[in-house]
Amino acid sequence: MFSAVVFVLAVAVFGASGQRFLAVENGQLRLNGEKVFMSGMNIAWQNYGRDFGNGQYQCCTSAALEDYIRRIGAEGGNSLRIWLHCDGAYTPSFDGNGYVVNTDDQNTMIADLSQFLDVAYANNVLVFIVLWNGAVAPYYRYLDLIWDESKLQTYIDRALVPMVSALSGKVALGAWEIMNEPEGLVAAGVSDANPCFDTTVLAGSGAGWAGSFVPMELLQRFINRQTAAIKRTDPKVLVTLGSWSERAQTDEFGWRNYYKDNCLIDGGGDGLGVLDFQQMHAYSWQGAYSPSAPLNVPNSDYNLNKPNLLGEFSQTGGDGRTIVDQFEWGYSQGYCGAWSWQANGGGEGSDDFATQALGLNHLRGRNDQNAGGRVDIVLQ
């Protein structure tokens, strides 16, 4: 009798498919037994690097951030991307020697994120939390975490693992993203006997624009170690990484996938530290996308063995196509999601909210299991 009750409860909690949290199965993002398509926006931030932790959420940012959740859901969206530490200037909490001692000085970050995820859950919106930003020059303490693995380990032990553990039961947590656009920090044009560390193919590509000149091997270690720690703490949760373009996430078109499993393991040495799905960003240059950009080619052309999400794009930063055309392309051309840039309308190349909402509404209600999959997800 007891075992029968346990079985019934298990079915009620996890569904007939045995899968209540977002997962990767057979090369697809899946939820509740169906292929799903992540249709949403980058909130990215309300107050850059200061949205969560140190009491800022309760005093200053929660109203705006939670309003974005509700508005994205109301426009037919099912997901959002939000940045956490950003450049590391405000969180995590460091001691005088650059070792991490906590998530934040006032120890409010976990409670802040928990509340944010609860609001997302109530609105059937999945949240993808980006830990770090590589698109701008980082605060020196953050850069030290990349160069010094002992300091990185203190971040993992005292900030990352506590966050992952505390939030592991949140159904609205879609994935952790280790870093936005690490290619901004990389030393491009460096030769190495190991192709995973050789960045000569990135010479002249624009990579390295933030001027930090970090060897690719150290970025891969940074990604690998955090990914592995997340998966040891919460084995079911997904992990991803957002690249500035396709140039660092495919071996096709003369480029190199620096974040495929063997490269991350070569860099960090931990076999568990591999990504669950990939993510590419797409912006035009002088009004045109590169020939191999994700808004020019179907996902199948990249010859990847994992789902691939169109993580940043905009009508303003595009090639003349409308935001509706861009969302439709992501849905129909094999990508597992599309997130426009950026809900607050404040970042470079950003569309305003109303423009992005046109794309969300275009995909509202779609459920073609032979194309992108279900958009109208239910979390409760």
Side-chain angles (χ1 to χ4, degrees):
M1 178 66 175
F2 175 76
S3 61
V5 171
V6 170
F7 174 77
V8 171
L9 288 174
V11 171
V13 171
F14 295 104
S17 69
Q19 180 250 314
R20 184 187 181 199
F21 294 82
L22 187 67
V24 171
E25 298 173 356
N26 300 319
Q28 301 172 347
L29 287 183
R30 296 183 69 85
L31 184 68
N32 298 325
E34 287 187 296
K35 181 182 181 181
V36 292
F37 183 86
M38 296 295 97
S39 177
M41 298 184 192
N42 286 270
I43 293 180
W45 63 81
Q46 178 66 19
N47 187 7
Y48 184 79
R50 297 181 177 228
D51 285 330
F52 303 96
N54 294 322
Q56 292 298 297
Y57 187 73
Q58 294 302 329
C59 84
C60 307
T61 62
S62 61
L65 292 175
E66 291 171 13
D67 187 53
Y68 282 129
I69 295 173
R70 297 184 184 97
R71 292 169 66 192
I72 288 170
E75 299 291 350
N78 64 16
S79 51
L80 63 86
R81 184 169 176 254
I82 186 84
W83 296 13
L84 191 60
H85 303 306
C86 295
D87 61 3
Y90 194 63
T91 67
S93 180
F94 295 93
D95 68 15
N97 295 312
Y99 293 91
V100 174
V101 295
N102 203 347
T103 55
D104 58 296
D105 293 342
Q106 296 184 29
N107 198 32
T108 68
M109 180 173 286
I110 289 174
D112 296 344
L113 290 170
S114 180
Q115 179 176 322
F116 186 77
L117 288 165
D118 287 345
V119 174
Y121 176 77
N123 287 273
N124 293 310
V125 172
L126 287 167
V127 175
F128 295 74
I129 301 174
V130 185
L131 297 173
W132 305 100
N133 185 18
V136 297
Y139 179 59
Y140 74 103
R141 295 295 195 196
Y142 159 28
L143 194 59
D144 282 350
L145 299 181
I146 300 174
W147 284 94
D148 188 332
E149 61 183 313
S150 67
K151 291 180 177 177
L152 173 60
Q153 192 62 48
T154 64
Y155 170 73
I156 290 170
D157 293 341
R158 299 169 184 172
L160 181 59
V161 166
M163 286 192 294
V164 173
S165 178
L167 301 175
S168 63
K170 300 294 186 181
V171 176
L173 178 57
W176 294 95
E177 182 177 325
I178 304 300
M179 201 173 187
N180 173 68
E181 301 185 356
E183 301 83 18
L185 305 181
V186 77
V190 176
S191 62
D192 195 284
N194 185 335
C196 289
F197 308 152
D198 187 304
T199 58
T200 54
V201 299
L202 295 179
S205 69
W209 66 87
S212 295
F213 307 109
V214 178
M216 179 61 77
E217 182 178 2
L218 295 189
L219 289 170
Q220 291 162 333
R221 181 180 71 186
F222 186 72
I223 297 159
N224 170 263
R225 299 285 179 84
Q226 291 177 83
T227 301
I230 290 169
K231 293 188 172 187
R232 285 196 173 88
T233 306
D234 183 5
K236 70 182 181 307
V237 77
L238 304 182
V239 182
T240 188
L241 177 92
S243 281
W244 107 107
S245 82
E246 75 285 357
R247 295 173 176 90
Q249 287 210 23
T250 180
D251 289 324
E252 302 300 318
F253 304 102
W255 302 116
R256 182 162 299 148
N257 186 352
Y258 290 99
Y259 314 116
K260 58 190 174 185
D261 293 359
N262 68 288
C263 284
L264 290 181
I265 294 169
D266 281 358
D270 196 316
L272 200 59
V274 297
L275 305 177
D276 294 294
F277 65 94
Q278 297 185 216
Q279 181 195 144
M280 298 175 181
H281 302 168
Y283 295 101
S284 64
W285 174 252
Q286 296 181 340
Y289 292 117
S290 69
S292 57
L295 278 164
N296 265 341
V297 303
N299 184 53
S300 58
D301 284 7
Y302 293 126
N303 196 26
L304 305 172
N305 62 0
K306 300 181 181 186
N308 185 25
L309 193 148
L310 185 54
E312 288 185 21
F313 62 94
S314 68
Q315 181 174 295
T316 298
D319 63 353
R321 280 178 275 180
T322 68
I323 196 74
V324 167
D325 293 335
Q326 292 171 326
F327 270 93
E328 178 62 33
W329 179 272
Y331 188 86
S332 63
Q333 297 297 318
Y335 297 91
C336 67
W339 294 326
S340 55
W341 184 260
Q342 135 192 42
N344 69 16
E348 183 179 356
S350 177
D351 291 330
D352 61 28
F353 189 95
T355 297
Q356 296 170 74
L358 296 173
L360 300 187
N361 276 285
H362 175 71
L363 295 184
R364 181 197 292 268
R366 298 281 282 274
N367 185 18
D368 185 345
Q369 292 293 303
N370 295 314
R374 177 175 290 280
V375 171
D376 291 0
I377 64 172
V378 177
L379 300 181
Q380 294 91 347

